[in-house]
Amino acid sequence: MRFRSFRSRILFYLLGLVALIQGGVLLVVDVANSLNARRLIDQGLEVTARQFQARIETRSHELTVAARLLSGDFAFKQVFATGDTGTMRSALENQRRRIGADALVLISADGAGIMAHTLTKAGGASAEPFALLIDRAAEADEAEASGFVLLNGIPFRMVTVPLLAPLPVAWIVVGFQVDDPFADALKEDSLSEVSLLLSDGRGNWSDFASTLPFELRQLLPSALGIGQRPLDRSFTLELAGGDYVTLITELDRRDGSAFSAVLQRSRDEALAPFSRLRLTLFVLTVVALAVSLLLGHIIARSVSRPVHRLAATAEQIEKGDYSQRVETRQVDEMGQLAASFNRMAAGLKEREFIRETFGKYVPESVAAAILRDRSALAPESRMATVLFTDLQGFTSLCETMAPEQVVTLLNQYFSLLVGIIDRHGGVVNQFQGDAMLVTYNVPVSDPDHALSALRTALEIERVLEGHRFDGGRKLVTRVGINSGTVVAGSVGAGDRLSYTVHGDTVNLAARLEALNKEFATRILISESTRQLIGDDFDLEEIGEIPIRGRSSPVPVYSVPVAGAENTKRRAIPFP
Amino acid sequence: MRIPHGAYLLGAVIWGLSAGFSLPGRAATLDVTVLDQKGRPVPHTVVQALPAGGRGALPEKPDTIVIEQKAMKFHPFVTALRRGTIVRFPNNDRVAHHVYSFSPAKVFELPLYKGEPPILVEFDVAGPVTLGCNIHDWMVAYIYVVDTPHFGTTDAKGRLRLTDVPIGVYGLEVWHPGLKGSLKSTRRTVDVADGANAAEFKIQVRAERFWRPRPPI
């Protein structure tokens, strides 16, 4: 992936990382929440189911106890013995109110017929609804049983005990209605929605009691009818767009029909606290991303800004302004880069300065020395040795050679000489056509400046004797050396400054060089130079020249050079 | 006066004849055995032999029999008696009892009493009567009122011997407190011949807990 800017790169990765992490956290928390919520709901429903059963058992037990007492009630036995339906009914109603039951029925011993009941309407026509209950009781050891009975579409939880006189003569059936108030009471305890339904085993459900709101209650039977519904295991049921975790627990079974309690909890409601958490996390994610954006921006800026400044400064330097520097307060890698850059710029500036001041040919040592101590360039009057060189026969060379060839030859010549001069610590102050002005002891101090100059001259002569330039050409140099005080310093104006030397010493050196033509010598040195070089050299005094400020002329000496035309003196081996 | 031997002989013949004349025909014995559905002998079974010709006349003087309450139980457990018999229910326990019955054959009650009962009870309708004590649920006993002089209750071995049964055709019926099915379903016709006769009944009997509640330990 290619990024157009460092900032976009950083932002991409940073935001990407944050988004990834936060997204991962959100996902994990979401999944955990869902599972947790589901587990809590399941637990809640199971508890509700058990509570429901317990409630029914308790109520049934209460009625069973009451029924047992009725069964032992002598007065009731007497009532039964009368066989009078009216009396029996009134006594039953009386008893019903005493014990707070919803229904009291007396069934014949064989279970075939209802002898008396407290039910309204025609609900007591046939004993058939009670058949299962009676059968169960007849088979039980204690001759008691409990179960659900549907009378005229109304579900009752009923218990039966035999009427003993003293042995079973009939069945007393006591029951309470399982209706909305019963379900409501259960819902209050358990916070689950409770519905009571009958299923025929073939997917048809009908409801009797429910705590669900009207619309949902209507939808429940048909919703349950779809597919095979698991028992005692929670599943999700959709009602009017909401998800309900549902648990079906069977209360009673008769042939294929089952009387069941359907317990439900809205999943959305249960998840509500978790969705708040999710929202919080989401907000945190957004905040984190925003912070990351800002942070990324800041980090990127701390790199891109210095870099831009660096690039801009480099551009300035490229244009020639070596005084530009990069300012930074950073101490990290960017700071190091800026510092290096500044050092580089300073270096460039110094080189430029030296180049301007001394031209291209300044030896490293000299440049370094000058850079170390700028005061060396301050104008001063100092003892120095000045060396002039001149190329013999240059003019005629120019006439015979093409201009390009001349230039090439000159450059080679100068390169050669400058190399030698550098080695001896001389500084080329000027190039004048084919001539060079070289100084020793200025601008860089050299205690043996005179010796250095002479050695330079001797080596130049020696090297040139043996060296052949292009086309086998041999070149000869004339050298003039003088020592004395010179005035050295930068002269010029503004940007065009150069380091030069002035004074009679310089002039004399030039005159001496020119004198080589007269005396047919190669190297001529002055008296002052001779005094400084000691006695190691074989010199020949070949004349005198007047100099300004002296009343009498001063001697001039030639330094013999091997292979050159010498005067009477024999050649001196080169040092 | 010296009675001649012949007189004694005549007297004996006449006595014999008269004895013979007092019974409708000659008499025989009938041994009845009652077994349950598993082949076990069933005690406490009331067996009655109803003459084909009809019922016998009631005895002129009704008998009085006793069914006592002792050790928190009725004794005997099953009593067969002739219609018209009077029963006395003495309470020989230290606690009072309240004897009652709601059986159609006899509805009566003897409210809480000790010792001698307030009244004697005459059983004048044929059929089974279940006795209970109102305050002691396990105290149960049975009376079976028969309409024939030929009846009895099987012993522990499930056997009953009816004696002095006139020869003839009888309808035999058995009743047990735990009898499954109706009385009529047990009916058998037996031709009682001279001498010994036997009849065996196989009846379906429910588990004891259905007709004999267990007293508390």
Side-chain angles (χ1 to χ4, degrees):
Chain A
M1 186 172 292
R2 303 181 73 109
F3 291 92
R4 289 194 58 97
S5 73
F6 182 65
R7 181 174 63 190
S8 39
R9 183 195 296 266
I10 267 213
L11 283 176
F12 176 78
Y13 284 111
L14 192 62
L15 287 177
L17 180 72
V18 170
L20 209 67
I21 291 174
Q22 288 291 95
V25 167
L26 259 179
L27 192 72
V28 165
V29 169
D30 226 17
V31 168
N33 278 350
S34 280
L35 288 176
N36 210 27
R38 178 58 185 256
R39 200 165 45 85
L40 284 173
I41 294 176
D42 283 354
Q43 283 175 352
L45 288 177
E46 269 163 48
V47 167
T48 307
R50 273 183 254 133
Q51 276 180 324
F52 193 79
Q53 300 276 27
R55 239 174 211 268
I56 289 180
E57 288 304 318
T58 305
R59 192 89 181 85
S60 302
H61 184 69
E62 285 168 3
L63 290 178
T64 306
V65 168
R68 282 190 203 138
L69 287 173
L70 180 61
S71 139
D73 185 65
F74 194 73
F76 194 72
K77 292 186 229 249
Q78 286 173 316
V79 163
F80 178 78
T82 65
D84 175 32
T85 316
T87 309
M88 282 198 278
R89 188 177 188 285
S90 62
L92 281 178
E93 176 61 26
N94 187 52
Q95 191 67 16
R96 185 191 72 75
R97 282 211 220 108
R98 268 189 199 163
I99 64 179
D102 291 328
L104 205 55
V105 180
L106 206 59
I107 294 185
S108 58
D110 57 7
I114 296 182
M115 303 176 76
H117 64 88
T118 62
L119 305 160
T120 52
K121 303 190 271 184
S126 152
E128 203 281 326
F130 301 94
L132 188 67
L133 188 67
I134 304 296
D135 286 346
R136 269 200 215 138
E139 268 155 48
D141 279 349
E142 331 72 51
E144 287 175 5
S146 61
F148 284 87
V149 175
L150 213 59
L151 293 172
N152 253 15
I154 305 170
F156 285 83
R157 173 73 177 183
M158 294 188 139
V159 302
T160 186
V161 304
L163 173 61
L164 300 169
L167 290 171
V169 292
W171 295 100
I172 300 175
V173 180
V174 189
F176 60 90
Q177 202 168 319
V178 181
D179 51 9
D180 285 350
F182 187 79
D184 284 337
L186 193 68
K187 177 179 175 180
E188 256 181 56
D189 280 350
S190 68
L191 305 174
S192 305
E193 298 285 356
V194 180
S195 306
L196 294 146
L197 298 101
L198 183 73
S199 75
D200 65 359
R202 276 173 282 131
N204 299 316
W205 294 75
S206 38
D207 83 297
F208 305 104
S210 182
T211 57
L212 287 170
F214 188 68
E215 333 71 67
L216 297 176
R217 183 179 179 159
Q218 300 256 290
L219 297 168
L220 186 61
S222 44
L224 286 172
I226 303 166
Q228 196 57 4
R229 295 298 181 189
L231 280 180
D232 298 317
R233 200 159 45 83
S234 71
F235 60 94
T236 310
L237 191 71
E238 206 212 306
L239 287 174
D243 279 341
Y244 288 85
V245 182
T246 307
L247 183 71
I248 303 179
T249 181
E250 243 179 40
L251 301 169
D252 206 351
R253 188 159 260 278
R254 175 190 169 144
D255 307 322
S257 304
F259 196 70
S260 310
V262 175
L263 309 161
Q264 295 173 293
R265 280 216 189 158
S266 163
R267 197 163 72 162
D268 300 328
E269 270 172 37
L271 279 173
F274 296 108
S275 57
R276 274 196 285 280
L277 176 65
R278 188 206 279 179
L279 187 69
T280 308
L281 278 174
F282 187 73
V283 168
L284 275 175
T285 301
V286 170
V287 168
L289 281 172
V291 168
S292 305
L293 193 74
L294 187 68
L295 207 68
H297 189 81
I298 291 173
I299 291 173
R301 216 170 48 160
S302 78
V303 169
S304 61
R305 262 232 228 128
V307 168
H308 279 137
R309 261 189 272 137
L310 223 70
T313 309
E315 217 179 287
Q316 295 287 31
I317 289 176
E318 183 196 3
K319 287 188 187 141
D321 184 0
Y322 294 102
S323 61
Q324 293 286 333
R325 296 288 178 269
V326 174
E327 280 195 19
T328 179
R329 279 191 294 266
Q330 283 171 267
V331 294
D332 58 357
E333 287 86 342
M334 294 314 301
Q336 288 170 15
L337 179 63
S340 299
F341 185 86
N342 287 340
R343 281 196 295 275
M344 180 198 71
L348 281 173
K349 182 164 187 198
E350 281 162 352
R351 268 184 221 303
E352 179 70 7
F353 168 76
I354 289 176
R355 194 157 56 88
E356 285 170 352
T357 311
F358 296 109
K360 270 199 194 158
Y361 301 100
V362 175
E364 267 308 311
S365 52
V366 173
I370 293 172
L371 289 169
R372 257 196 313 271
D373 183 11
R374 287 293 180 94
S375 63
L377 300 175
E380 57 177 350
S381 177
R382 206 150 107 170
M383 191 67 181
T385 302
V386 179
L387 184 148
F388 262 95
T389 68
D390 192 28
L391 187 59
Q392 189 173 296
F394 179 61
T395 322
S396 52
L397 265 175
C398 288
E399 285 165 3
T400 56
M401 283 168 66
E404 315 81 64
Q405 288 173 311
V406 170
V407 170
T408 308
L409 185 65
L410 257 187
N411 283 338
Q412 287 172 358
Y413 166 74
F414 281 138
S415 292
L416 198 61
L417 262 59
V418 164
I420 299 166
I421 293 165
D422 279 353
R423 267 201 300 281
H424 291 277
V427 176
V428 179
N429 278 43
Q430 272 180 43
F431 289 91
Q432 295 164 339
D434 59 326
M436 281 195 295
L437 182 133
V438 187
T439 54
Y440 293 80
N441 204 34
V442 288
V444 181
S445 79
D446 176 9
D448 301 317
H449 50 89
L451 268 172
S452 303
L454 183 57
R455 288 200 184 107
T456 306
L458 283 170
E459 196 176 330
I460 287 175
E461 294 299 332
R462 179 176 66 78
V463 166
L464 282 177
E465 266 306 313
H467 189 83
R468 294 293 173 268
F469 292 89
D470 286 346
R473 225 177 278 276
K474 180 179 165 187
L475 295 172
V476 172
T477 300
R478 293 191 294 263
V479 183
I481 305 173
N482 184 30
S483 306
T485 52
V486 297
V487 170
S490 294
V491 294
D495 278 344
R496 304 254 179 79
L497 288 171
S498 59
Y499 189 81
T500 53
V501 289
H502 304 279
D504 288 339
T505 310
V506 177
N507 299 336
L508 183 57
R511 278 170 64 195
L512 284 174
E513 186 275 313
L515 270 177
N516 280 305
K517 255 195 285 211
E518 255 187 60
F519 293 114
T521 50
R522 293 287 179 82
I523 305 169
L524 284 176
I525 65 174
S526 66
E527 171 66 31
S528 51
T529 304
R530 190 197 71 82
Q531 281 172 5
L532 292 173
I533 63 173
D535 300 321
D536 288 336
F537 296 89
D538 203 13
L539 304 170
E540 189 188 336
E541 186 181 339
I542 55 160
E544 290 175 344
I545 48 170
I547 55 171
R548 203 168 46 206
R550 290 282 180 94
S551 52
S552 52
V554 290
V556 171
Y557 301 89
S558 163
V559 182
V561 171
E565 281 175 28
N566 283 309
T567 51
K568 302 163 197 91
R569 293 274 191 179
R570 58 175 167 81
I572 297 168
F574 294 108
Chain B
M1 167 166 143
R2 209 167 130 253
I3 300 168
H5 290 281
Y8 282 112
L9 189 64
L10 188 66
V13 169
I14 292 166
W15 182 82
L17 282 169
S18 69
F21 274 119
S22 66
L23 296 161
R26 284 169 300 159
T29 58
L30 178 60
D31 286 308
V32 182
T33 312
V34 181
L35 302 171
D36 69 8
Q37 63 269 35
K38 290 206 174 111
R40 295 177 298 208
V42 188
H44 302 309
T45 312
V46 173
V47 182
Q48 58 174 330
L50 294 152
R55 291 160 173 62
L58 284 171
E60 272 169 28
K61 185 164 174 253
D63 282 336
T64 305
I65 63 168
V66 170
I67 297 177
E68 69 159 342
Q69 298 129 70
K70 182 84 178 134
M72 310 300 271
K73 285 205 280 253
F74 286 104
H75 301 277
F77 178 57
V78 174
T79 311
L81 47 80
R82 185 81 200 276
R83 190 163 66 91
T85 307
I86 294 170
V87 179
R88 195 169 68 107
F89 294 92
N91 179 358
N92 295 327
D93 267 331
R94 278 207 296 264
V95 301
H97 291 298
H98 177 160
V99 181
Y100 73 94
S101 163
F102 286 110
S103 303
K106 186 69 186 178
V107 176
F108 75 97
E109 64 169 318
L110 305 171
L112 273 179
Y113 70 99
K114 286 187 194 176
E116 285 306 309
I119 53 164
L120 299 173
V121 185
E122 183 187 340
F123 289 83
D124 47 6
V125 175
V129 175
T130 310
L131 299 170
C133 171
N134 190 31
I135 54 173
H136 303 115
D137 292 339
W138 66 90
M139 281 178 67
V140 166
Y142 300 89
I143 293 172
Y144 198 89
V145 185
V146 301
D147 217 351
T148 164
H150 310 294
F151 66 91
T153 314
T154 57
D155 60 13
K157 293 204 176 81
R159 291 207 293 256
L160 169 70
R161 169 166 281 193
L162 291 172
T163 54
D164 293 326
V165 180
I167 294 160
V169 177
Y170 290 87
L172 249 57
E173 285 173 1
V174 298
W175 179 88
H176 184 275
L179 180 70
K180 277 198 210 171
S182 67
L183 185 71
K184 292 222 163 30
S185 65
T186 68
R187 195 185 178 100
R188 295 250 298 269
T189 307
V190 170
D191 196 349
V192 175
D194 195 11
N197 295 269
E200 191 183 270
F201 281 86
K202 254 222 174 82
I203 57 170
Q204 296 253 356
V205 178
R206 304 180 81 189
E208 189 167 336
R209 63 187 160 99
F210 286 102
W211 43 271
R212 195 173 199 170
R214 260 198 288 267
I217 299 157

